[in-house]
Amino acid sequence: MSPVAVQELVLAVAVSGTVALMAWRAGSLSRSGAAAALIVGTVCLTAGRAWGGFLVLWFIAASLASKVGQRAKEAATGDVVAKGGPRDALQVLANGGVYAATALVAVVRPEFEAVAAALGAAALVAAGADTLATETGTLAKGRPWSLRTGGGVPTGSSGAVSVPGSAGMVLASVGFALSAHWVGLIPMTAVAPVALAGVVGAVVDTLVGAWWQARRWCPSCERETEQHRHRCGTTTVHYRGVSWLGNDAVNLLCTVAGAAVMGALFRSGGS
């Protein structure tokens, strides 16, 4: 490794470490989440400033969205969601793992950087669209409805949709795609395809969440949940869905779908 490459790597580690430390101290990341963010951030910054810049912008936007009305959202979803509070390592990798993988491709095979950047941007845009849809829908008044049953479900239920949440998803997808262009990661001609891929990825997340994501049952409260130990302290039992398919796995599928759709658009000449 050349001296210049070593310096770039050291700088990437230093910047990523600083951001991860700040996020941990701010309560946005757990210890394991900060460690995972350090790895993901280092890989992306090694690929270039545009890669790192988009990741930082995405993380700031997602973190701020989760902080808005945090207490109200936790009160509304506390009986349902499996994870709350700071993001752990699995959550970081589920949202940013595909993006980091495409950044690594750009480092190893720079001749494919344009394609890798579009696929990576689509993956991260999908994750952002899903995140903002959840945060917006959770804050909105009224019960969301399940795509599987068509009936109302508790706030925070996976596979549920609402008008505010859907609007947040589309607006977030467009905003994140424009941000990817603003930092220089993708050209303007790729903004619309990346935004579309992001929306499709978020929709895939909702569909998988509605039909196949694991659901559990609290025998004490007689309530469906995603928690292995319910908020009341009772150990829950598998109720329906694929037992191993939790929220982190569904989020990973969301990013994979976003990248895959962007790849299909590339092959069809859509970008």
Side-chain angles (χ1 to χ4, degrees), residues 199-225:
V199 169
V200 174
V203 170
V204 167
D205 182 288
T206 304
L207 292 172
V208 174
W211 268 273
W212 296 289
Q213 185 173 333
R215 295 295 197 284
R216 304 185 68 82
W217 183 261
C218 175
S220 296
C221 301
E222 297 186 340
R223 182 173 298 181
E224 186 178 299
T225 182

Side-chain angles (χ1 to χ4, degrees), residues 92-199:
V92 170
L93 294 175
N95 286 295
V98 172
Y99 184 69
T102 56
L104 187 60
V105 170
V107 173
V108 177
R109 299 294 298 272
E111 66 271 24
F112 296 133
E113 182 174 6
V115 176
L119 268 61
L124 206 55
V125 167
D130 175 60
T131 297
L132 269 293
T134 300
E135 300 296 343
T136 304
T138 302
L139 274 179
K141 295 181 179 180
R143 288 165 63 88
W145 52 275
S146 169
L147 284 180
R148 185 177 65 88
T149 66
V153 292
T155 301
S157 299
S158 295
V161 296
S162 67
V163 173
S166 298
M169 175 186 68
V170 174
L171 291 175
S173 188
V174 173
F176 280 123
L178 287 170
S179 297
H181 167 66
W182 181 69
V183 299
L185 184 63
I186 60 173
M188 189 63 192
T189 54
V191 169
V194 165
L196 174 61
V199 169

Side-chain angles (χ1 to χ4, degrees), residues 43 144 159 202:
V43 172

Side-chain angles (χ1 to χ4, degrees), residues 118-119 122-123 126 193-194 197-202 204 252-263:
L119 268 61
V194 165
V199 169
V200 174
V204 167
L252 178 61
L253 288 175
C254 168
T255 62
V256 171
V261 170
M262 191 62 217

